[in-house]
Amino acid sequence: MQKLYSGNEAIARGAYESGVKLASAYPGTPSTEILETMVQYSEIISEWAPNEKVALDVAIGGAYAGVRSIAVMKHVGLNVAADAFFYVSMTGIEGGLVIVNADDPDMHSSQNEQDNRRYAKFARVPCLEPSDSQEAKDMVGAAFEISERFDTPVLLRITTRIAHSHTLIELGERPAEADDDTPLTYRIDRTKYVMVPGNARKRHPIIEERIKELSQFAEDFAYNLVEMGSAELGIVTNGITYQYAQEVFPRASFLRLGMTYPLPPALIRDFAAKVDRLVVIEELDPFLEEEIRLMGIPVEGKSIFPIVGELDAGVVRDCATQAGLHPPSPTASPPPIPPLPMRPPLLCPGCPHRGVFHITNKLKVVVNGDIGCYTLGFLPPLSALHTCGCMGASIGVAHGANKAGAKQKNVAVIGDSTFFHTGMPALLNTAYNKSDTVTIILDNRTTAMTGHQENPATGFTLSGKPTFEVDFEALSRALGIEHVSTVDAYDLEEVETALRAALDVDGPAVVIAKRACALLPVARKDWMPIEINPEQCNGCGLCFKIGCPAIVRSEEKDAKTDRFLAEIDPLLCTGCEICAQVCPRDAIYFRDEMEIK
Amino acid sequence: MKAINFLVVGVGGQGALLASNVLAEVGVRAGFDVKKAEVHGMSQRGGSVNSHVRWGEDVKSPTISQGEADVLFSLEKLESLRYVSMLRRGGVALVGEFKIPPLTVSSGADAYPTDNEIAHIFEQVTDDFHFIPTLTLAKEAGTSRAHNVVLLGALSSLVEDVPEEIWLEVIAERVPEKYVEVNQAAFQAGRLVS
Ligand SMILES: Cc1ncc(C[n+]2csc(CCOP(=O)(O)OP(=O)(O)O)c2C)c(N)n1
């Protein structure tokens, strides 16, 4: 029976059915669920790595040792893993190696838009792109066959709409020989696997030759589909766009490329010759378009369809209509709607990051942020973050600004998972090159933003097994930081005292603000809504400034100030008491006052 | 049977994804090709969420384009307005009575639209607009959490080709065992309203 699988679940299943033995990843939307699904297959060793570069090196190690291995990451993860991506293209592998990469057109949850098919060409690595979950599953198998046949890593590229769309798939089985227990003999081959210049010079022509052979292979690759319809319009497309294009042009001719690098020149030339007008419909970069134009074939693409954001059937139709490719559709314009109140993502009620930002605001330091839930501290009313670029950037940027002699002190704010990802070398740098940078590690005991993954500070692995737990104080000291303190992120006085002391230190310092994410089960069991004492509240509004969704405006006004009193939504409040500490009139009950009130 | 595009919307934490999972699975069991699209990530509570569910003979795009949703299934009143432009002319809008004021409303900076304003905007697109007393009926059935299942019940009576047993069976599989009965009661209550 067919089952509904998301693209991510299908890829995990595909890995299982392909006999994959080793999987390593760092979480990141939209690819996170791939490993979270993979770990349910006990035959596969599935691990969270501290970052994508490590994840890819781990998978490469598996492939060098001779087993099918897979590394998974979101698009920006491949920037982090790029160094490894390039060397493994040069060395090739023993067992198959597939890198699953999820691009995020429209940046649903990312800091930038980038088209990672560019990496495939850049590193001479073949790139496969499925158009639905069935193909996502099956192409994992195809990718491993290509990897082993051509001695190359393979990039399996999906986008958010493939990753997070559910479509029907037919399940297969795992080959029995995949789990044969005979110990592996590691094959030593120094000229192939030691990439010193002398060896690398020998490898480079080989990989250039490999790409030529792959381009030949692509001519009959089963996932490069030609579907002839009317000769008036020939559409070249890939991935999810194939679905949109079919919906808009049910009668056109299609060349759907399942392998988007390298391309099959004869197949494309032949298709182009059979149609009157050749158009590429692809999301993000004009990747296929440029390649086809380089073949000397006249083609249109980005002159019709946008280069930014996501496409959908509606966008494809509208653009095609403008270009005269599609008859105008009778469109009734939607009714005018007044501007609606937004629901931007917010720091949750009880979020331990909130109080730290209240204090950094109070001390008027420049806050260099990083990537995680705390990035949301940039939103009003906190407006507490002043820079944020990519994972691990905060500490280096703060160090640079401090070295440059900025008048205001620059601090770095970084989450536990992000600190392991790329924060550690940057912290070492503040010690090595001595700046007055204060690094605040927001240790909320989880990787929250991507949905609560374990990390080296949580004491558990991806498969739920207990493991060692990093001691941030010891780690910071080992990295050369002498002034280190740990505070409870819910205790504003403690946070303020520690931060002031750290700012006064001559040299780098670390403050670890520790408190479990309010949505973790351990924290949930302590939820206890607190209340406002309407007799004491005079509507000053200071509690609104911490931006807690649980604090709302009541209907009641203070007689003297004529301002609305505050109220706490008992369904949202967790009882973190940050508002109670901020209130200058003691108008918010602390937990222990709730009982006696 | 006819192809149908459902757009399920609500606020994070309300159970929109449970509703769309049920809807998708019901479609599969009723013999349709089904696709479902949503965007995950951002683990915060309280954001606007949407999920596209399409039933058809051979569904291509997993997402629904502007003006092509046959059914707008909204668990929250304000959220329904955010997606008016997705509804096809003459489509069905089922809007739960649930009201969750966003931060800017509870702090007094913005106003929450009135029921009349909401109804008036929908009237320009369709006559088939219904507020459903989801919370009231769910509480009567035993738990306010089942408000999403009340709305599924209301929807089920519009999709006449699909037998009731399929809905009940899928709901029973998707909710925790001790809440099956309450949810089935909530479903029945919703089924009777429209
Ligand atoms: C290179 C890269 N990999 C992955 C991500 C996805 N990502 C965004 S935030 C985040 C985790 C942040 O965790 P942590 O630093 O512990 O902060 P928290 O969300 O728990 O506050 C991840 C993995 C990314 N943006 N960039």
Side-chain angles (χ1 to χ4, degrees):
Chain A
M1 204 187 87
Q2 291 195 311
K3 287 194 175 316
L4 271 178
Y5 267 54
S6 71
N8 282 347
E9 292 163 343
I11 287 173
R13 179 73 197 188
Y16 170 78
E17 291 177 13
S18 308
V20 167
K21 286 292 235 190
L22 180 63
S24 184
Y26 182 70
T29 315
S31 64
T32 311
E33 300 86 1
I34 297 178
L35 262 266
E36 288 177 334
T37 309
M38 198 105 69
V39 72
Q40 294 163 19
Y41 300 112
S42 58
E43 294 87 344
I44 305 176
I45 299 166
S46 298
E47 297 180 346
W48 289 134
N51 70 30
E52 293 87 351
K53 152 92 170 105
V54 175
L56 182 48
D57 285 329
V58 167
I60 290 170
Y64 281 180
V67 303
R68 288 193 164 182
S69 305
I70 196 162
V72 180
M73 59 202 66
K74 69 179 288 176
H75 62 329
V76 284
L78 194 51
N79 299 336
V80 178
D83 227 2
F85 190 65
F86 278 77
Y87 81 71
V88 74
S89 171
M90 290 284 275
T91 65
I93 40 66
E94 300 290 309
L97 175 67
V98 173
I99 296 111
V100 180
N101 165 93
D103 281 7
D104 188 18
D106 213 34
M107 299 167 274
H108 294 282
S109 5
S110 304
Q111 69 263 35
N112 72 339
E113 249 175 348
Q114 63 182 50
D115 189 329
N116 279 4
R117 293 176 297 175
R118 300 278 188 204
Y119 270 115
K121 186 174 184 188
F122 199 0
R124 314 294 194 271
V125 169
C127 177
L128 304 190
E129 297 196 63
S131 294
D132 60 22
S133 299
Q134 179 75 52
E135 285 192 341
K137 176 175 86 68
D138 295 344
M139 277 191 186
V140 175
F144 276 107
E145 277 163 30
I146 292 173
S147 173
E148 284 160 4
R149 172 160 164 202
F150 292 91
D151 189 11
T152 178
V154 176
L155 188 66
L156 180 65
R157 174 189 184 250
I158 55 172
T159 55
T160 303
R161 291 297 176 186
I162 295 293
H164 286 168
S165 292
H166 284 67
T167 74
L168 289 169
I169 71 169
E170 203 77 63
L171 300 185
E173 291 306 320
R174 182 173 171 95
E177 57 283 11
D179 301 306
D180 158 21
D181 280 341
T182 345
L184 293 167
T185 308
Y186 194 100
R187 193 180 77 83
I188 305 275
D189 184 346
R190 280 182 299 265
T191 35
K192 186 160 184 270
Y193 293 113
V194 181
M195 279 304 94
V196 292
N199 286 342
R201 273 184 211 113
K202 288 186 203 115
R203 291 294 304 170
H204 191 184
I206 296 174
I207 75 169
E208 296 298 342
E209 201 48 46
R210 182 178 76 202
I211 269 307
K212 280 191 204 142
E213 285 164 22
L214 274 158
S215 151
Q216 199 54 47
F217 169 83
E219 299 285 359
D220 331 283
F221 181 50
Y223 293 97
N224 286 339
L225 312 171
V226 178
E227 291 159 345
M228 292 312 291
S230 145
E232 261 171 63
L233 177 63
I235 295 171
V236 182
T237 187
N238 64 313
I240 190 69
T241 352
Y242 175 52
Q243 308 292 357
Y244 305 147
Q246 278 180 296
E247 197 158 305
V248 178
F249 299 103
R251 275 177 292 281
S253 295
F254 279 91
L255 170 56
R256 197 294 306 265
L257 292 165
M259 187 190 292
T260 49
Y261 184 78
L263 294 184
L267 192 69
I268 293 172
R269 228 176 272 289
D270 186 53
F271 181 74
K274 286 190 195 141
V275 298
D276 303 339
R277 195 167 171 186
L278 188 70
V279 174
V280 177
I281 309 183
E282 60 190 323
E283 260 171 352
L284 298 180
D285 285 6
F287 183 79
L288 301 174
E289 182 185 348
E290 286 173 5
E291 293 290 297
I292 293 173
R293 196 165 290 130
L294 279 174
M295 295 172 190
I297 302 169
V299 62
E300 297 164 275
K302 291 297 164 189
S303 57
I304 304 173
F305 302 100
I307 195 167
V308 293
E310 253 189 333
L311 302 180
D312 68 15
V315 173
V316 169
R317 186 181 306 113
D318 292 348
C319 295
T321 303
Q322 287 219 331
L325 290 171
H326 193 274
S329 2
T331 47
S333 47
I337 316 173
L340 298 176
M342 302 294 285
R343 290 188 203 274
L346 297 166
L347 294 177
C348 301
C351 177
H353 303 332
R354 178 173 284 112
V356 173
F357 287 134
H358 174 73
I359 300 300
T360 58
N361 277 347
K362 182 170 173 188
L363 301 188
K364 297 199 166 51
V365 285
V366 178
V367 177
N368 295 280
D370 226 296
I371 314 253
C373 285
Y374 45 92
T375 312
L376 300 169
F378 91 96
L379 287 164
L382 281 168
S383 309
L385 229 70
H386 307 109
T387 71
C388 169
C390 72
M391 290 193 81
S394 59
I395 305 174
V397 172
H399 174 86
N402 286 329
K403 281 279 172 161
K407 200 169 86 207
Q408 308 95 313
K409 254 288 176 78
N410 269 254
V411 304
V413 163
I414 186 166
D416 45 357
S417 182
T418 306
F419 181 69
F420 300 130
H421 182 275
T422 29
M424 284 162 47
L427 183 64
L428 175 65
N429 180 58
T430 66
Y432 177 58
N433 285 310
K434 296 211 189 314
S435 67
D436 286 344
T437 303
V438 175
T439 297
I440 306 170
I441 300 175
L442 299 173
D443 176 17
N444 62 349
R445 319 302 300 149
T446 188
T447 316
M449 175 148 261
T450 40
H452 293 135
Q453 289 74 32
E454 305 293 350
N455 70 44
T458 67
F460 291 92
T461 64
L462 169 59
S463 47
K465 294 209 180 74
T467 181
F468 102 108
E469 197 178 310
V470 163
D471 173 343
F472 280 107
E473 286 205 11
L475 178 57
S476 303
R477 291 211 173 84
L479 289 170
I481 311 293
E482 283 165 27
H483 187 94
V484 183
S485 53
T486 303
V487 295
D488 177 356
Y490 276 172
D491 187 333
L492 295 187
E493 213 178 287
E494 215 179 75
V495 174
E496 181 171 346
T497 310
L499 192 52
R500 281 187 190 278
L503 287 164
D504 282 343
V505 170
D506 184 20
V510 164
V511 176
I512 300 149
K514 183 168 170 178
R515 175 58 83 156
C517 166
L519 298 188
L520 285 177
V522 284
R524 276 177 195 264
K525 67 174 177 21
D526 283 342
W527 284 6
M528 172 186 165
I530 53 175
E531 284 170 24
I532 285 177
N533 176 355
E535 313 283 286
Q536 283 294 327
C537 176
N538 74 346
C540 76
L542 274 181
C543 56
F544 291 125
K545 297 235 162 76
I546 61 170
C548 176
I551 303 177
V552 301
R553 200 181 65 166
S554 76
E555 304 288 311
E556 208 182 319
K557 276 187 176 176
D558 181 78
K560 276 209 207 104
T561 62
D562 197 37
R563 296 165 86 160
F564 286 103
L565 305 187
E567 202 171 49
I568 291 180
D569 183 339
L571 292 178
L572 292 176
C573 177
T574 68
C576 73
E577 299 178 327
I578 289 175
C579 58
Q581 296 169 69
V582 168
C583 179
R585 296 176 59 87
D586 289 333
I588 306 179
Y589 294 113
F590 284 82
R591 284 164 172 252
D592 52 5
E593 295 168 335
M594 285 293 292
E595 282 147 33
I596 47 174
K597 97 176 172 15
Chain B
M1 283 192 273
K2 204 165 95 341
I4 312 182
N5 294 333
F6 306 91
L7 186 66
V8 175
V9 308
V11 174
Q14 267 199 304
L17 296 189
L18 176 88
S20 75
N21 286 339
V22 169
L23 204 45
E25 190 57 34
V26 166
V28 174
R29 302 220 183 150
F32 287 105
D33 182 19
V34 172
K35 287 189 179 174
K36 174 170 88 90
E38 64 227 357
V39 172
H40 306 257
M42 304 272 202
S43 65
Q44 297 79 16
R45 302 183 289 165
S48 169
V49 292
N50 67 70
S51 175
H52 302 226
V53 178
R54 306 189 67 193
W55 295 358
E57 218 171 280
D58 178 14
V59 181
K60 302 293 187 196
S61 166
T63 50
I64 303 166
S65 304
Q66 290 270 327
E68 291 184 2
D70 300 294
V71 177
L72 177 62
F73 179 103
S74 181
L75 293 175
E76 203 271 348
K77 291 196 282 189
L78 167 62
E79 290 312 302
S80 70
L81 274 192
R82 223 183 282 290
Y83 297 92
V84 182
S85 66
M86 294 295 288
L87 188 64
R88 142 176 95 68
R89 295 259 146 192
V92 182
L94 297 178
V95 180
E97 67 178 335
F98 216 127
K99 173 176 170 180
I100 303 179
L103 196 56
T104 53
V105 170
S106 38
S107 68
D110 280 328
Y112 194 95
T114 64
D115 286 3
N116 274 340
E117 283 165 344
I118 296 174
H120 177 70
I121 290 170
F122 273 100
E123 274 160 21
Q124 299 169 54
V125 187
T126 182
D127 296 333
D128 224 342
F129 166 81
H130 313 272
F131 276 125
I132 309 287
T134 44
L135 269 180
T136 316
L137 293 176
K139 275 185 204 143
E140 280 171 24
T143 167
S144 57
R145 296 194 61 101
H147 71 105
N148 51 351
V149 175
V150 171
L151 205 60
L152 282 172
L155 171 64
S156 73
S157 64
L158 304 174
V159 195
E160 288 149 8
D161 313 338
V162 179
E164 189 182 340
E165 300 76 68
I166 297 191
W167 292 92
L168 290 172
E169 174 186 297
V170 175
I171 289 168
E173 288 169 17
R174 299 277 160 146
V175 301
E177 209 177 313
K178 57 178 177 180
Y179 294 115
V180 170
E181 250 170 72
V182 188
N183 276 283
Q184 293 188 333
F187 177 82
Q188 297 295 0
R191 199 166 161 87
L192 291 176
V193 266
S194 43

